[in-house]
Amino acid sequence: MTAMMLDDSEASDAELIGRARGGDRGAFGKLLERHYGFVYRAAYRWCGRKADAEDIAQDVCVRLGRAIRDYQGNGAFTTWLYTMTLNALRDMMRKRARDAAKTEAFGTYALIAGEGPESQDPIEALWAAVRMLPDKQRDAVLLVYGEGISHAAAADVMAISEATVSWHIHEAKKRLKALMRSAGEV
């Protein structure tokens, strides 16, 4: 009985995942607690809005509850979480695109307050410009510079080669210079 009473704060992710896969809700809760900030931060880097990042993070938590049994452990758990976060973000963006198309089809124009960046901070302006990049370039920049992971790890998350990640970053830098110049930031 004492062996089962391990302090969850000392348990590794692998131990918590194994216990969560077996139905241990406490282990699953500790895993969520340990990685929620990571998921939220990644979601915020992609979407740039706190409320949307919270929605995405919560969606990832729900998805994780359903998918934890399928996690094979072949790669890093955080890589798996990145992928899950990207998928949740893409689902949200597709839903928004469908909703916008419906709104436009009916000729209804909704004014939403606060659509701009959440602050006038130049760093936030740069991240807003990053979010305007084509999908693959945006994802590569956010993974490598926003999250600080290697090109190889970004390649795993994006399911492309490491050289392709480097190329997307190179192209993104050129576009960002042009975007920032046109905005008067450079």
Side-chain angles (χ1 to χ4, degrees), residues 164-184:
T164 305
V165 169
S166 297
W167 181 81
H168 284 305
I169 289 174
H170 173 74
E171 291 298 308
K173 285 179 180 180
K174 290 192 306 190
R175 282 183 188 239
L176 285 171
K177 281 182 184 177
L179 283 171
M180 297 308 281
R181 266 194 209 111
S182 68

Side-chain angles (χ1 to χ4, degrees), residues 18-99:
R19 290 172 37 203
R21 289 178 72 188
D24 184 337
R25 291 178 184 217
F28 181 75
K30 184 62 182 175
L31 198 60
L32 283 179
E33 181 182 322
R34 190 177 284 177
H35 292 284
Y36 183 85
F38 167 82
V39 171
Y40 172 82
R41 188 183 72 243
Y44 182 78
R45 287 279 187 219
W46 268 281
C47 67
R49 292 190 182 93
K50 290 178 183 178
D52 290 345
E54 289 169 359
D55 290 345
I56 292 166
Q58 289 174 8
D59 186 32
V60 169
C61 290
V62 171
R63 289 178 186 205
L64 183 61
R66 286 186 238 129
I68 192 73
R69 293 178 205 264
D70 297 331
Y71 177 67
Q72 298 297 316
N74 297 335
F77 183 66
T78 52
T79 301
W80 193 61
L81 280 177
Y82 271 132
T83 304
M84 205 177 261
T85 303
L86 277 173
N87 288 338
L89 173 75
R90 289 177 182 138
D91 289 347
M92 181 187 78
M93 293 175 85
R94 281 191 289 268
K95 181 183 182 312
R96 281 199 177 154
R98 284 192 307 270
D99 290 348

Side-chain angles (χ1 to χ4, degrees), residues 46 125-135 138 175-176 179:
W46 268 281
L126 176 62
W127 287 117
V130 168
R131 288 187 288 276
M132 292 170 44
L133 293 170
D135 292 348
R138 179 197 63 227
R175 282 183 188 239
L176 285 171
L179 283 171

